[in-house]
């Protein structure tokens, strides 16, 4: 069988170190584990690479990093000496082997004659995006698995605009990767030689200072209560220094960090699953918040590109705000502030993903700002910022998605939790000066625009069989979708894979202008909708639900009805 041949090939390969081979020998009697590690090569896509750390073709290790980086090197080399001299910026997070993987990538690029700017230590992902633009590099790499569990790592590639690569560049890199037949074809330059030849350049404080000044320059107002008490947790990730520095330099005096989660910890000992979208990540923050009587709790994920918050309610308890709600509050704060300053551009736009709720769109419309929908992922959201820069069709103001990712302005072309944390603190301080909390603001928005509720849930299906079942679920639901849920009838169906929208009111099917992806969206006649898609980075199928009602209770009831109906249908697929 092919996976056993590949397993033996790694054991026999003189280019693979003894420590890696020893790890492989420990699983010699576990064919299921061997199969999982070798049944495929970790696929390089528009999200780069992401997977469990370990030896094997379907794992994150320095050999897979080398091959991917050589693929990138060939793509850059094909663009000539100017592209090679512009080079590549590289950042990495706190995870196991992140520093080693980053250095490996740097030395593979150097061997190909490509200049590299490598950060001296851990840095947040958005700072990498900023650095690409600041240093005018051709590309960028960040070694991170974002909010995945501790046994994962990843490798994301960016292009010259500072945003993640889209399918065109990803396909070029994949073509070059496929040409590499064995590890002997990929070489690393000696680190000392790379430095002496000016191919490896270590960067740090000077970029940090520029980045922090840029973030502070995006602040919107100073007529705020800066004594607001904030509990902050970086969840043992890269956000600790930049977020605290920005808040301090903006004058927020009462920022208290969760001590157990302050410093880097690749095992995420206190949280396990370091995803601030999950309310369990706030356990330590809530305890500290209650002790300190804090107004707001803020958490960033390990690579500090996503941010979540909880707010003290009227009962003194902390209520969680989901990604759609935080997005709506930020849009409201940004546009309210800019209207006062008379600085909303005539052709201003916010950009959101197709699975992000519509409340932000409703607020934007009130201020004369357009809302553009894209496929999921900030590579697509900031891809629109790149497009607007070229066409001048719109002026990009804000981008966001329901999975707690936000960016304001165009200096960073990825979601940025440093910028977003500052704006959240500002908004909380501004509304506190009016004796209002962020919950009060959200309720005011609901009263004005209608009550919105949403839910995201996933079915996790790991391994080969799990991937096959996810594929079957998508195939079955695509053909046997629900026509009615609790009296709400299907009005529109969008199949993003074949780029069509079917209107059941007019009985017309039309093409849509959006890149193809494996996703489905269903609109009901009561203003509810839901979407289904496989995750691009995790072994799960994701279901997004959104509903509007006359009251919050009615909206929540609609969400629950959709969830139960869709779950029943998906679980019936064996």
């Amino acid at each position: 069988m092919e996976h056993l041949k590949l397993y033996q090939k790694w054991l026999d390969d003189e280019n693979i170190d003894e420590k890696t081979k020893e790890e492989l020998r420990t699983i010699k009697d576990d064919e299921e584990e061997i199969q999982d590690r070798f049944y495929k090569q970790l696929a390089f896509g528009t999200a780069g690479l992401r997977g469990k750390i370990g030896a094997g073709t379907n794992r994150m290790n320095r050999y897979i990093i080398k091959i991917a980086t050589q693929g990138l090197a060939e793509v850059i080399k094909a663009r000539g000496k100017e592209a090679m001299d512009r080079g590549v910026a590289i950042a990495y997070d706190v995870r196991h082997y992140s520093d080693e993987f980053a250095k490996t990538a740097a030395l593979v690029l150097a061997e190909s004659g490509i200049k590299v700017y490598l950060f001296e230590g851990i840095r947040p992902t958005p700072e990498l995006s900023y650095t690409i633009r600041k240093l005018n590099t051709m590309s960028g790499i960040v070694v991170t698995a974002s909010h995945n569990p501790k046994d994962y790592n990843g490798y994301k590639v960016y292009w010259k605009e500072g945003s993640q690569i889209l399918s065109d560049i990803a396909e070029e890199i994949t073509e070059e990767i496929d040409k590499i037949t064995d590890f002997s074809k990929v070489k690393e330059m000696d680190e000392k030689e790379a430095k002496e030849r000016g191919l490896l350049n270590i960067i740090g404080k000077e970029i940090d200072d520029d980045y922090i000044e840029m973030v502070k320059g995006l602040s919107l107002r100073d007529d705020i209560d800066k004594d607001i008490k904030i509990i902050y947790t970086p969840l043992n990730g890269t956000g600790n220094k930049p977020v605290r520095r920005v808040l301090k330099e903006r004058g927020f005096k009462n920022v208290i960090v969760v001590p157990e989660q302050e410093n880097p910890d690749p095992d995420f000992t206190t949280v396990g699953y370091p995803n601030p979208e999950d309310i369990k990540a706030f356990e330590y923050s809530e305890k500290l918040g209650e002790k300190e009587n804090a107004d707001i709790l803020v958490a960033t994920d390990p690579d500090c590109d996503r941010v979540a918050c909880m707010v003290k309610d009227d009962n003194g308890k902390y209520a969680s705000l989901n990604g759609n709600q935080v997005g709506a509050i930020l849009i409201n704060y940004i546009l309210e502030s800019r209207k006062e300053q008379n600085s909303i551009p005539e052709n201003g736009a916010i950009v959101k993903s197709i699975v992000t709720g519509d409340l932000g769109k409703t607020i934007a419309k009130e201020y004369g700002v357009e809302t553009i929908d894209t496929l999921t992922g900030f590579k697509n959201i900031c891809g629109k910022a790149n497009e607007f820069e070229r066409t001048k069709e719109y002026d990009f103001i804000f981008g966001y998605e329901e999975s707690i990712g936000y960016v304001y302005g165009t200096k960073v072309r990825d979601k940025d939790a440093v910028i977003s944390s500052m704006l959240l603190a500002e908004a909380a301080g501004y509304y506190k000066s009016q004796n209002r909390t962020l919950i009060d603001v959200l309720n005011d928005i609901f009263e004005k625009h209608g009550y919105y509720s949403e839910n995201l849930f996933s079915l996790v299906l790991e391994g080969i069989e799990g991937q096959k079942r996810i594929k079957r679920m998508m195939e079955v639901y695509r053909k046997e979708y629900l026509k009615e849920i609790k009296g709400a009838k299907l009005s529109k169906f969008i199949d993003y894979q074949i780029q069509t929208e079917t209107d059941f009111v007019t009985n017309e099917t039309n093409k849509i202008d959006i890149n193809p992806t494996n996703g489905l969206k269903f609109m009901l006649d009561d203003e509810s909708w839901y979407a289904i898609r496989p995750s691009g980075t995790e072994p799960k199928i994701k279901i997004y639900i959104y509903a509007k009602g006359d009251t919050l209770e009615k909206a929540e009831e609609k969400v629950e009805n959709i969830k139960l109906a869709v779950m029943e249908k998906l679980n019936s697929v064996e």
Side-chain angles (χ1 to χ4, degrees), residues 419-486:
I419 294 172
S420 307
S421 295
M422 181 189 74
L423 292 179
L424 266 174
E426 269 189 32
Y430 171 61
Y431 294 121
K432 188 178 181 183
S433 70
Q434 303 172 348
N435 294 314
R436 300 160 72 202
T437 68
L438 295 185
I439 294 173
D440 294 330
V441 173
L442 184 62
N443 287 330
D444 290 344
I445 292 170
F446 282 156
E447 285 184 25
K448 190 172 189 179
H449 298 291
Y451 289 84
Y452 292 77
S453 183
E454 53 269 316
N455 194 3
L456 162 64
F457 65 97
S458 303
L459 295 173
V460 178
L461 298 163
E462 295 188 320
I464 305 168
E465 290 307 315
Q467 289 300 304
K468 289 178 180 177
R469 191 172 176 211
I470 287 172
K471 185 180 179 185
R472 289 195 299 273
M473 284 177 170
M474 290 299 296
E475 288 171 350
V476 169
Y477 211 98
R478 184 170 262 113
K479 297 173 185 173
E480 301 174 16
Y481 48 81
L482 299 169
K483 304 289 178 64
E484 185 175 329
I485 298 174
K486 285 283 185 178

Side-chain angles (χ1 to χ4, degrees), residues 278-331:
D278 185 341
I279 197 169
K280 296 188 192 79
F282 279 91
E283 181 186 351
Y284 282 71
S285 297
E286 282 192 79
K287 289 177 183 174
L288 187 58
E290 287 167 3
K291 178 185 173 186
E292 298 287 348
N293 193 29
D295 297 286
I296 185 172
L297 317 178
V298 176
T300 54
D301 68 342
D303 68 324
C304 198
D305 61 356
R306 307 196 317 155
V307 63
C309 77
M310 297 184 77
V311 182
K312 189 169 64 177
D313 63 19
D314 293 338
N315 300 314
K317 299 296 182 184
Y318 290 100
S320 175
L321 300 177
N322 65 38
N324 281 311
Q325 292 168 341
V326 171
I329 289 168
L330 287 175
I331 290 167

Side-chain angles (χ1 to χ4, degrees), residues 388-443:
F388 299 162
E389 195 170 57
R390 292 191 299 270
T391 66
K392 312 300 182 189
E393 181 181 7
Y394 292 105
D395 197 329
F396 184 95
I397 297 173
F398 182 75
Y400 77 116
E401 55 186 3
E402 43 60 53
S403 56
I404 63 172
Y406 319 93
V407 69
Y408 175 55
T410 57
K411 300 292 187 181
V412 172
R413 300 289 168 96
D414 203 353
K415 52 189 178 288
D416 189 330
V418 183
I419 294 172
S420 307
S421 295
M422 181 189 74
L423 292 179
L424 266 174
E426 269 189 32
Y430 171 61
Y431 294 121
K432 188 178 181 183
S433 70
Q434 303 172 348
N435 294 314
R436 300 160 72 202
T437 68
L438 295 185
I439 294 173
D440 294 330
V441 173
L442 184 62
N443 287 330

Side-chain angles (χ1 to χ4, degrees), residues 103 107 118 188-197 200 202:
K103 187 169 284 187
L107 296 177
L118 175 66
E188 295 175 57
M189 183 174 284
D190 174 74
E191 184 177 348
K192 184 182 177 186
E193 181 186 353
K195 287 178 177 176
E196 287 174 350
R197 291 177 56 182
L200 176 58
I202 306 302

Side-chain angles (χ1 to χ4, degrees), residues 218-423:
L218 295 171
S219 63
L220 287 160
R221 60 199 314 149
D222 258 343
D223 55 335
I224 60 180
D225 184 348
K226 291 186 178 178
D227 288 326
I228 188 168
K229 190 169 278 191
I230 302 166
I231 300 295
Y232 170 61
T233 174
L235 295 179
N236 303 111
T238 60
N240 183 39
K241 290 182 178 180
V243 170
R244 291 171 72 186
R245 179 178 171 185
V246 162
L247 294 180
K248 182 179 180 181
E249 293 184 16
R250 281 286 292 119
F252 290 95
K253 306 175 185 70
N254 290 316
V255 179
I256 305 164
V257 71
V258 175
E260 299 91 342
Q261 297 171 339
E262 176 179 359
N263 296 315
D265 175 10
D267 291 317
F268 308 110
T269 310
T270 61
V271 67
Y273 179 38
N275 182 2
E277 197 173 11
D278 185 341
I279 197 169
K280 296 188 192 79
F282 279 91
E283 181 186 351
Y284 282 71
S285 297
E286 282 192 79
K287 289 177 183 174
L288 187 58
E290 287 167 3
K291 178 185 173 186
E292 298 287 348
N293 193 29
D295 297 286
I296 185 172
L297 317 178
V298 176
T300 54
D301 68 342
D303 68 324
C304 198
D305 61 356
R306 307 196 317 155
V307 63
C309 77
M310 297 184 77
V311 182
K312 189 169 64 177
D313 63 19
D314 293 338
N315 300 314
K317 299 296 182 184
Y318 290 100
S320 175
L321 300 177
N322 65 38
N324 281 311
Q325 292 168 341
V326 171
I329 289 168
L330 287 175
I331 290 167
N332 188 74
Y333 171 68
I334 290 165
L335 296 182
E336 181 181 353
S337 301
R338 291 190 63 167
K339 184 179 181 181
E340 284 182 25
Q341 299 158 6
N342 197 30
S343 65
I344 296 177
E346 284 185 19
N347 59 340
I350 65 168
V351 181
K352 70 178 187 67
S353 75
I354 55 175
V355 295
T356 297
D358 296 321
L359 183 54
K361 180 178 183 178
T362 305
I363 296 166
K365 187 177 181 181
E366 179 189 0
Y367 288 94
V369 171
E370 191 68 44
T371 298
I372 310 295
D373 279 357
T374 69
L375 296 179
T376 55
F378 261 75
K379 60 183 178 288
N380 296 303
I381 289 170
C382 287
K384 284 294 180 184
N386 300 338
E387 181 185 316
F388 299 162
E389 195 170 57
R390 292 191 299 270
T391 66
K392 312 300 182 189
E393 181 181 7
Y394 292 105
D395 197 329
F396 184 95
I397 297 173
F398 182 75
Y400 77 116
E401 55 186 3
E402 43 60 53
S403 56
I404 63 172
Y406 319 93
V407 69
Y408 175 55
T410 57
K411 300 292 187 181
V412 172
R413 300 289 168 96
D414 203 353
K415 52 189 178 288
D416 189 330
V418 183
I419 294 172
S420 307
S421 295
M422 181 189 74
L423 292 179

